[in-house]
Amino acid sequence: MTVATVPGRLHSWDISTGVDGPGTRFVAFLAGCPLRCLYCQNPDTWHMRDGTATTAGAVLRQVEQFASFVHVAGGGMTVSGGEPLLQPRFVEALFTGARGLGLPTALDTAGGLGARASEALLDVTDLVLLDVKAWDPARYRRLTGGEVAPTLAFARRLAARGTPIWVRYVLVPGLTDDPAEVDGVARFAAALGTVERVDVLPFHRLGAPKYERLGIPFPLLDTPPPDTALVDRVREQFRRTGLAAY
């Protein structure tokens, strides 16, 4: 099977600046995710069956149309989700093709399926945007329905390889704002040695209409976004460990 013929399930794609890695990015959103995060803004990406069947070659033909612009804008290609590591061979094919177009690559993942990422996939991954959703195992389980240990193991594996990491931490009042929780993530990230920055992402409810359309209750419909003071406090907690936080 050639790179071009590797099959996958694509939810959508977009051109993005500022939130999916350095510069302007071509972002491919893959379908399917094993987690059910209480704050998820994209329930329409949960099931692989709801994605469009495609091939790496078809996606890369789209990427090629924007490659010159993205390159000049200091960007690259990001594969996000859903959870892209549900489709590791597809991701590897996309990244191999992107590298062939001269574009740096970034993997946006929660890390729980990190064991599925082959060495070959990581060899064509220039940056990992790693969502560390919580520190305490019980809190992580309540928040996502999954386990935090595989994410931490994947982070250590990336660090051992020298792979650059951007940690992403979603700040939800009453769920992820506990100072001890933030300190746990911050200390872990600082010890890895390859974390280039931490993005503290304030919770919002912009995805609520998607839940309504799908007939699914949005668990955090009554949860307010964090105020500026709380966001500043959490960013400062990360900075105190020597990390750049935004």
Side-chain angles (χ1 to χ4, degrees), residues 76-214:
M77 182 180 188
T78 298
V79 176
S80 185
E83 172 49 67
L85 290 180
L86 272 176
Q87 305 182 63
R89 183 68 184 90
F90 189 45
V91 177
E92 181 185 336
L94 292 173
F95 281 176
T96 299
R99 284 279 196 88
L101 295 170
L103 298 179
T105 59
L107 174 66
D108 182 2
T109 176
L113 299 180
R116 296 191 181 191
S118 66
E119 291 300 300
L121 190 163
L122 295 181
D123 284 343
V124 290
T125 302
D126 295 307
L127 171 68
V128 174
L129 310 176
L130 186 64
D131 298 315
V132 183
K133 299 172 185 292
W135 177 249
D136 175 71
R139 190 186 302 264
Y140 192 96
R141 198 175 303 116
R142 175 190 168 208
L143 183 65
T144 72
E147 301 296 328
V148 69
T151 294
L152 304 183
F154 185 52
R156 294 187 185 101
R157 180 182 170 200
L158 294 172
R161 289 177 52 92
T163 301
I165 300 169
W166 288 12
V167 167
R168 309 178 100 182
Y169 188 76
V170 179
L171 178 57
V172 187
L175 280 176
T176 64
D177 58 344
D178 182 83
E181 189 74 13
V182 177
D183 279 342
V185 175
R187 290 194 303 271
F188 175 79
L192 291 172
T194 64
V195 174
E196 296 183 342
R197 63 183 281 164
V198 177
D199 288 303
V200 176
L201 307 176
F203 163 75
H204 60 76
R205 294 174 295 205
L206 298 179
K210 292 185 180 180
Y211 284 83
E212 187 174 358
R213 286 196 299 271
L214 293 170

Side-chain angles (χ1 to χ4, degrees), residues 4-106:
T5 59
V6 174
R9 304 287 297 194
L10 180 73
H11 174 269
S12 58
W13 63 268
D14 199 2
I15 303 297
S16 172
T17 300
V19 296
D20 296 292
T24 298
R25 320 284 300 183
F26 183 102
V27 185
F29 298 94
L30 306 193
C33 184
L35 300 181
R36 294 295 180 266
C37 300
L38 296 181
Y39 55 66
C40 179
Q41 299 297 314
N42 298 297
D44 49 330
T45 68
W46 286 351
H47 304 293
M48 286 184 67
R49 64 176 180 267
D50 294 331
T52 300
T54 186
T55 64
V59 177
L60 289 166
R61 284 192 290 276
Q62 294 284 347
V63 177
E64 190 171 11
Q65 296 181 38
F66 297 93
S68 296
F69 166 70
V70 167
H71 180 75
V72 170
M77 182 180 188
T78 298
V79 176
S80 185
E83 172 49 67
L85 290 180
L86 272 176
Q87 305 182 63
R89 183 68 184 90
F90 189 45
V91 177
E92 181 185 336
L94 292 173
F95 281 176
T96 299
R99 284 279 196 88
L101 295 170
L103 298 179
T105 59

Side-chain angles (χ1 to χ4, degrees), residues 208-227:
K210 292 185 180 180
Y211 284 83
E212 187 174 358
R213 286 196 299 271
L214 293 170
I216 303 171
F218 182 33
L220 301 185
L221 187 60
D222 297 325
T223 300
D227 59 28

